Structure formats: structure tokens, C-alpha cells
Amino acid sequence: MLLGSCNIGDGVQLGGQVGVAQHITITSGSRVAGKSGVMNSLNKCEDGLDVFGGVPAVPLRDWHRQSLFLRKIGRKRGNDRK
């Protein structure tokens, strides 16, 4: 779903069920993983991989780190209850 005036560059790939907020710019060649929410403009990454995911959309590597961190916290809390 694209809202408002979005500037999407050449060759951008958006996965299924991606939502893009109003007045957003996505640079050319970027890719956004499915079910992601683009709330801020997406610019080129330092590592050269212009792949984004999550809500709000962040570089994919950061999204994986966040998911792993949340999984670890969930396991720790689950063990405390036993």
C-alpha cells in the first residue's frame, strides 16, 4: 500500500504486503522484505546491501539482530518462570 506522494527510484522491489507511509523516498535499487512498514525514507546503506525489513523498515542485517535479541530475551524470561 502506497500512501500520499511517494518517490520510488528505478528498480525498487517491494515484497508482498509492504506498507509505505506518506512523503517517503526510496532510493533506486532498494529491496524491501514482505510485511515491512516503511515509515522513513530509505537511503543507501554503508555495506552496499540495500535490503530492508521490519516495522519500521531498517537495514535487513539490523532487523535480524533485533529479532535475535528479542528471541533471547523471551527465552530468559521463560526460564525465570519455571
Side-chain angles (χ1 to χ4, degrees), residues 21-56:
Q22 298 179 12
H23 313 296
I24 299 296
T25 300
I26 302 176
T27 57
S28 297
S30 297
R31 296 185 294 167
V32 182
K35 293 190 177 181
S36 297
V38 181
M39 315 247 182
N40 299 313
S41 293
L42 301 179
N43 300 315
K44 298 284 183 186
C45 295
E46 299 86 31
D47 60 4
L49 297 174
D50 299 326
V51 182
F52 301 90
V55 177

